[in-house]
Amino acid sequence: MKKRNFVILRMALLSVFFTFFFAQVNAQDRIITGNVIAAQDGLSLPGVSVVVKGTTNGASTDIDGNYSIKLNTSGGVLVFSSIGMKTQEIIIGRSNVINVSLEIDSKDLDEVMIVAYGTTKKTSFTGSAATVKTKDISRIPVSSFEKSLTGLVSGLSVSNSSGQPGSSTSVRIRGMGSFSAGNNPLYVIDGIPVSSSDMSTLNPGDIEALTVLKDAAAASLYGSRAANGVILITTKQGKAGKAKFNLKASMGFSDFATDNFENVNGEDYLTLLNESMVNAGMDADEIADELEDNGWEEPAGGFVDWKDELFRTGVTKNLEFSASGGNKKTKFYISANVFDQTGIAEYSDLTRYTGRINLTHNVNDKFRIGVNMVNAKTIRNYQSGGSSYSNPFYFLSRKAWPTETPYDENGELREVLHGNSYNIVREYELNEQSTEIYRSTTSAWAEYELTEGLTAKTTAYYDWINNDELDYSSPNSRAGRKSHGSMENTNRKRIMATSSSILTYDKTFSEKHHINVLAGFEVESSKSSYYRAYGKNIPSEEIKVLSTASDPAGVSGSESEKRLISYLSRFNYDYANKYYLSTSIRRDGSSKLGTNERWANFWSLSGSYRLSEEEFMKNLTFIDNLKLRASYGTSGNLPSSYYGYQQLYSYTGSYNSVPAGIDSQYENQDLTWEKNHNLSLAAEFSFLTKFSGSVEYFKRKTSDLLVSVPISRVTGFGSTMQNIGEMENKGFEIELRSENINTDNFRWATSFNITHVKNKVVKLYNNEPISGTTSIKIEGQPYYTFYLKPWAGVNVDNGKPQWYVVDEEGNYEYETNADGKEVKKITNDYGDTNQMIAGSPDPDFFGGLTNTLSYKGLELSFLFNFAVGGKIWYSSGYKSWRDGASSTSYSFQKDQLDRWQKPGDVAAHPQRIWDRDDDSAAYSTRFLFDNDFIRLKNISLAYSFPKSLTNKAKLSSLKVYLQATNLLTWSEQDLCDPEQAYSGRTTFEIPNTKTITFGVELGF
């Protein structure tokens, strides 16, 4: 209650703050103010010249694109000009606020982009970065914005672990850089590095601009947190002028994006059962008895479609409201959002409430202050994943029989199914898994211009996250029967505080020499706590309170804390908008490391050369821009463990009924940073004012990778983490953009990106491979490498399984066939062959193709994403493709219909034999598939009503749209959704969905 009262009090004080400042109106002088943005993406344009035509009276826009100019006359014309933008003239009327959007003169020549600790123009940037247009992600109905980045940025890939509402997302920039210390990029929101553990509390509609930093020149200023790249996000801010209000509403409907592990229908199910028994030599009576004993017959109400019993059409609803405006002193942006999503699995849903307030105030011409505040609450109900008994997708894909109904003869839900399986439909209604996340963030900043060109800025940030989890099993459920009902409450809390102070000096000398110097200091502190309490013997399913459990079965908890101190500096120099040089250095000290290795330096050096500005290029009028750039630098990665270098004791045990401390971790004071060395070489170009793009080569080598290393048992431990490994990612990126048609009424633009990344393990402990049942980590191969016996298909003469013979070195053995040709040797005995390297899930290429067509107010946009060359491993194949074995436990998938039945058949699967024992389902490349695919990731059709109509309705804008996600998929394999985890292993997580959304946006 105190927490709620505090929030209400804070909001009340803010209301008073708004009232005070918005009431300040200065109408004494004829001063024109406004904001200048880029027409193509709405980003603010700094440095735009604003001059009263025919006079020397002028001004320039600040970093936020704002300007203010005092008039000496009652009227006139304002001229807005900037390098790379089309000059625009505006007649001065009665209004004292003139906002302008400038069109690009040469494609992408001076695009303004967010970079580390500031903004810059693309022409002057010497690093590798990509901007994402907010309209490409704001309409996509996802719980977290990262899910919408697929196919938009070269070098960036996205993996959604599950199709459940609120499921986590993994992002990789130019491959993976660590074995164990994490591979997700750093997220920076409004200049503040934030936790990437839950980005779902950020409303995508609040995002103003997004930049992806890829190389050392772009990211190394973030030091030890930038090893995996950086995603910079700027949220929307208010602009001077009349208050603007926007309302967005949408509703979408979801279903499976593709068929996944589809089972046979009832008729085919009985056919396959009968066939396998006949092939095993069973007579008619034995077959009839077996079918009757297991209830394998068509139920009275017809065969059961378990998909209908366990799944539904998902619904996503989104409602956003925002208000922005202000005067030359104070500007505000306020937003509220309700996002509600019911998943395709019964009893899975997510509801998120977010509210944001962004304020800026110009105290005077030199002093500016601001505050950004966000409060969010997320409520999520979810179903178990993996091979949990309660996972509906696991049951559907592996266990469901079409001959078995979840209801008994009285229409009541049965408690037990075949093989003593749980009736998931019944368990659904009785049990609960849920989480509630509360997050509150506040950042405040102050900026002061000490003297011309020299600015000081200090920022303070506070982030509080509280996560309450409930896992409840009803005493009336099968899961809770043995414990007479159980309940588990878990609380996770994290508080992070950050402070930074930055000095920036920006100066132009003799018109051609320009420098920008930055120096700063940053401190970060984070504290996390966790507790778990578990109880049994619940008196009533109506009371889900832990204290009612008569048997307090267990409790656990922990606290951890980390700190990071950083010193940073950057120097940029350019000459005549032609030659550019940049260097940066950052020194980090982390509490995660011992005193021997606590501090590390990270640096970068980069440069670029605009050939198009040379005199000898002036005659090549078709070339608008041609730039070469190169960069090299370092960044780092910290261990995941807060205390990985220390000798630790665990006090979770007891001895003689008294608390006891037990050695739990071996000390390693030499534990150090994982280090990334990044090289990038690129060419950027634009020509004929229609075409632009870039070609880039990169090489990213990571050393001192954390690896679990065996140590002498004399120490009391079997292994410890050491900095041993090395890994390399290298490849290239190509981006192409074209303005195919651009007339007054019709525009057609295309963008294309493609990426090749080659991952390779360079060094392991003692150069020894780490092999598993189906995979291997070995020097010279990708981190994710499949290691399997090679499947040779089905013998066309007898229907038996076959494998290629491989020697102990992993090489094929050959023999001479009847035609005198050397062919791979084949065996019918699984034990006669060995494992070999069988491929990797890493694609050879991946990318995206976007087309946008607009005619007057109508706009059609669609994005295809694709991947070529990767493999996918059917993790459940050894259970689901049993070819007649263990038929009483598992369902049959449609693939099994393509089986051998008579001599000469060329089939995918062997002859079905009841309770066979010839290893047909043993691990081999039989379950490994090519995973090439192309997907219509997003398509949107929107119509903006003309001003002549919106003005009559007292609206500033009105837009309606129809949008679809994952609408169509073409894949080399038809087993499951092609977008799986980076490991390439299929799971029983609820698959990706396709969603069709209807929406409306209006401004007033």
Side-chain angles (χ1 to χ4, degrees), residues 811-836:
N811 300 310
Y812 286 110
E813 292 187 8
Y814 290 85
E815 63 183 0
T816 304
N817 66 9
D819 297 328
K821 295 181 180 179
E822 272 205 346
V823 295
K824 294 175 184 176
K825 191 174 181 180
I826 292 177
T827 180
N828 290 321
D829 188 341
Y830 183 77
D832 286 346
T833 188
N834 295 284
Q835 291 173 279
M836 67 183 305

Side-chain angles (χ1 to χ4, degrees), residues 668-689:
N668 181 6
Q669 288 290 334
D670 294 322
L671 199 70
T672 187
W673 314 73
E674 295 186 343
K675 300 178 182 67
N676 269 264
H677 300 262
N678 296 278
L679 170 69
S680 181
L681 304 171
E684 299 177 5
F685 53 86
S686 62
F687 56 94
L688 298 177
T689 69

Side-chain angles (χ1 to χ4, degrees), residues 231-301:
I231 295 180
L232 302 177
I233 298 166
T234 296
T235 59
K236 294 177 180 177
Q237 302 290 330
K239 296 178 175 61
K242 181 181 177 182
K244 296 180 180 179
F245 302 91
N246 291 279
L247 181 65
K248 300 179 181 180
S250 65
M251 176 177 285
F253 303 92
S254 303
D255 199 356
F256 290 101
T258 63
D259 292 334
N260 297 272
F261 314 123
E262 291 291 289
N263 290 332
V264 298
N265 59 33
E267 291 83 358
D268 288 333
Y269 183 77
L270 294 178
T271 297
L272 293 177
L273 282 171
N274 187 77
E275 182 180 309
S276 63
M277 296 179 199
V278 170
N279 292 336
M282 297 171 63
D283 60 32
D285 291 336
E286 290 174 322
I287 293 173
D289 290 342
E290 191 73 43
L291 293 174
E292 183 178 354
D293 291 344
N294 288 283
W296 287 328
E297 60 183 5
E298 183 175 357

Side-chain angles (χ1 to χ4, degrees), residues 30-34 50-52 57-59 67-71 78:
R30 179 62 163 159
I31 296 176
I32 303 296
T33 62
V50 185
V51 179
V52 178
N57 183 21
Y67 74 92
S68 176
I69 185 170
K70 186 175 181 179
L71 296 184
L78 288 183

Side-chain angles (χ1 to χ4, degrees), residues 452-741:
E452 184 179 355
L454 180 62
T455 303
K457 183 176 183 179
T458 185
T459 304
Y461 173 77
Y462 184 85
D463 185 4
W464 175 81
I465 300 178
N466 186 83
N467 189 341
D468 291 313
E469 301 173 13
L470 169 66
D471 192 340
Y472 170 80
S473 295
S474 165
N476 296 323
S477 70
R478 275 290 309 282
R481 172 182 293 175
K482 190 173 182 180
S483 61
H484 303 288
S486 65
M487 183 182 302
E488 180 179 306
N489 285 144
T490 303
N491 175 265
R492 306 175 195 273
K493 188 179 296 178
R494 200 216 63 206
I495 297 174
M496 185 171 78
T498 303
S499 174
S500 69
S501 297
I502 305 293
L503 275 174
T504 305
Y505 181 67
D506 191 277
K507 185 70 174 178
T508 299
F509 302 94
S510 303
E511 298 184 355
K512 291 188 176 182
H513 300 274
H514 173 252
I515 63 169
N516 180 279
V517 184
L518 179 148
F521 172 76
E522 201 168 63
V523 179
E524 177 187 299
S525 175
S526 179
K527 186 174 182 179
S528 301
S529 63
Y530 154 87
Y531 78 77
R532 167 189 170 274
Y534 174 68
K536 299 187 294 185
N537 286 324
I538 307 295
S540 169
E541 62 178 7
E542 301 299 323
I543 307 176
K544 297 179 182 179
V545 180
L546 189 61
S547 61
T548 63
S550 63
D551 181 3
V555 63
S556 61
S558 66
E559 286 190 358
S560 54
E561 191 170 1
K562 64 174 180 177
R563 290 187 174 89
L564 182 72
I565 299 177
S566 307
Y567 304 90
L568 55 113
S569 180
R570 180 180 63 204
F571 175 80
N572 293 337
Y573 169 79
D574 67 84
Y575 174 75
N577 289 323
K578 187 189 303 182
Y579 309 104
Y580 300 85
L581 177 68
S582 179
T583 182
S584 69
I585 187 168
R586 178 174 176 130
R587 182 167 176 79
D588 281 349
S590 172
S591 64
K592 284 187 172 185
L593 300 172
T595 53
N596 295 353
E597 299 288 346
R598 179 155 290 173
W599 291 90
N601 299 321
F602 305 99
W603 57 271
S604 72
L605 179 64
S606 60
S608 63
Y609 172 36
R610 289 184 65 197
L611 278 78
S612 53
E613 294 301 299
E614 294 286 4
E615 286 299 322
F616 63 81
M617 296 288 290
K618 297 299 184 182
N619 292 330
L620 302 176
T621 56
F622 66 93
I623 295 178
D624 303 318
N625 183 47
L626 180 59
K627 183 172 82 170
L628 303 178
R629 58 177 169 81
S631 69
Y632 185 81
T634 63
S635 55
N637 210 3
L638 283 165
S640 299
S641 172
Y642 284 14
Y643 310 105
Y645 69 94
Q646 294 181 324
Q647 182 174 0
L648 298 181
Y649 296 88
S650 172
Y651 287 91
T652 58
S654 62
Y655 181 77
N656 262 354
S657 300
V658 296
I662 304 170
D663 284 330
S664 61
Q665 182 174 283
Y666 186 72
E667 181 182 25
N668 181 6
Q669 288 290 334
D670 294 322
L671 199 70
T672 187
W673 314 73
E674 295 186 343
K675 300 178 182 67
N676 269 264
H677 300 262
N678 296 278
L679 170 69
S680 181
L681 304 171
E684 299 177 5
F685 53 86
S686 62
F687 56 94
L688 298 177
T689 69
K690 288 180 175 291
F691 307 101
S692 64
S694 64
V695 178
E696 185 160 1
Y697 168 81
F698 62 87
K699 183 177 180 181
R700 173 187 177 195
K701 188 171 183 179
T702 310
S703 59
D704 294 330
L705 286 167
L706 290 165
V707 179
S708 180
V709 174
I711 56 176
S712 171
R713 289 284 182 180
V714 175
T715 64
F717 300 91
S719 64
T720 187
M721 297 298 290
Q722 293 184 13
N723 299 93
I724 295 292
E726 293 183 11
M727 186 161 53
E728 179 183 272
N729 293 275
K730 64 180 179 180
F732 62 82
E733 299 169 357
I734 298 175
E735 294 185 356
L736 301 172
R737 294 172 292 276
S738 65
E739 282 286 340
N740 306 314
I741 301 174

